[in-house]
Amino acid sequence: MATLRIPRKYQPLYILFQLFLLIQSQLVLCYQYKVGDLNAWNIPSSANRDVYVKWSKNHLFKLGDSLLFLYPPSEDSVIQVTKQNYNSCNLKNPILYMNNGNSLFNITRPGEFYFTSGAEGRCEKLQKLHISIGGENGTTYEDVDSPAFAPSASSPSYPNVFGSIPVQSANSNSSSSSGKLQMSMFAFVGLLFLGSTIL
């Protein structure tokens, strides 16, 4: 088996590059969660009526993650609803309607998200899910329907299958400056490492 031989003078750069790749891989990880884990999207059993409440509390969702709802398309669907419609099991005027049996919802912004079955009577039998996505600074949002998340009057309206398009927040400069700070610190540590190996 051939081995990669790096000249001695380039070994610190190679190590620095490997460290850079490791840090970048930790920053980019997003997950696809199957709603209910082993159970498909269905009416909870009488033995486990709060399966979706427990499931959402046992997962820490973040921006970039996605939810996969699996169900027989001839029998069920998934709708995203408002908090009020979630609590009252009102299936009228859903925010989003998915019915292909293999429905994927991408989390593209922080906030509260409410889902229920689109089939009559299933929401009342607790086939519904509420998830909360924190903001960049760990804050959570109480209601997706708040004016902060409403599109402006000049925004074009398109059918949206994968969640809302993120709106650039006023504190977006803080996230880019923290990334610059992280890269600056990384470069500083790399220069220290290189300086110590050269001397």
Side-chain angles (χ1 to χ4, degrees):
M1 179 187 286
T3 59
L4 177 64
R5 303 234 3 126
I6 299 172
R8 186 163 179 76
K9 66 179 183 177
Y10 296 118
Q11 284 179 350
L13 287 175
Y14 178 73
I15 292 169
L16 192 61
F17 179 70
Q18 292 294 322
L19 185 60
F20 172 76
L21 289 179
L22 179 64
I23 290 170
Q24 290 301 323
S25 68
Q26 295 301 314
L27 297 174
V28 179
L29 292 178
C30 297
Y31 294 99
Q32 182 181 59
Y33 295 95
K34 180 182 168 196
V35 175
D37 291 329
L38 296 176
N39 301 318
W41 176 243
N42 206 340
I43 298 171
S45 68
S46 59
N48 196 10
R49 293 188 49 82
D50 56 348
V51 64
Y52 297 116
V53 173
K54 289 178 184 175
W55 183 83
S56 66
K57 289 185 185 285
N58 288 330
H59 292 84
L60 180 61
F61 306 105
K62 63 185 183 316
L63 296 177
D65 290 344
S66 57
L67 303 176
L68 177 63
F69 295 86
L70 296 176
Y71 53 90
S74 61
E75 299 172 16
D76 206 352
S77 61
V78 180
I79 58 174
Q80 181 186 0
V81 294
T82 63
K83 180 179 182 178
Q84 182 179 1
N85 287 357
Y86 175 86
N87 290 331
S88 65
C89 288
N90 181 355
L91 307 182
K92 304 274 191 252
N93 302 319
I95 298 168
L96 178 67
Y97 178 74
M98 301 178 282
N99 66 347
N100 67 358
N102 192 18
S103 301
L104 190 65
F105 178 82
N106 291 324
I107 301 169
T108 58
R109 63 178 167 82
E112 304 289 318
F113 297 91
Y114 302 91
F115 302 93
T116 185
S117 169
E120 287 292 329
R122 289 181 175 239
C123 177
E124 291 83 358
K125 295 178 181 174
L126 302 180
Q127 186 181 347
K128 57 185 187 175
L129 173 70
H130 165 234
I131 63 167
S132 178
I133 312 302
E136 291 177 9
N137 58 1
T139 58
T140 56
Y141 300 91
E142 274 304 307
D143 198 357
V144 174
D145 301 322
S146 69
F149 292 115
S152 68
S154 62
S155 300
S157 177
Y158 300 104
N160 196 337
V161 184
F162 298 110
S164 300
I165 298 170
V167 178
Q168 187 171 3
S169 64
N171 64 357
S172 65
N173 292 337
S174 65
S175 65
S176 64
S177 62
S178 68
K180 290 176 186 174
L181 177 64
Q182 182 183 15
M183 291 305 290
S184 299
M185 289 176 57
F186 180 69
F188 178 72
V189 170
L191 288 174
L192 282 177
F193 181 72
L194 283 174
S196 66
T197 57
I198 293 173
L199 299 175

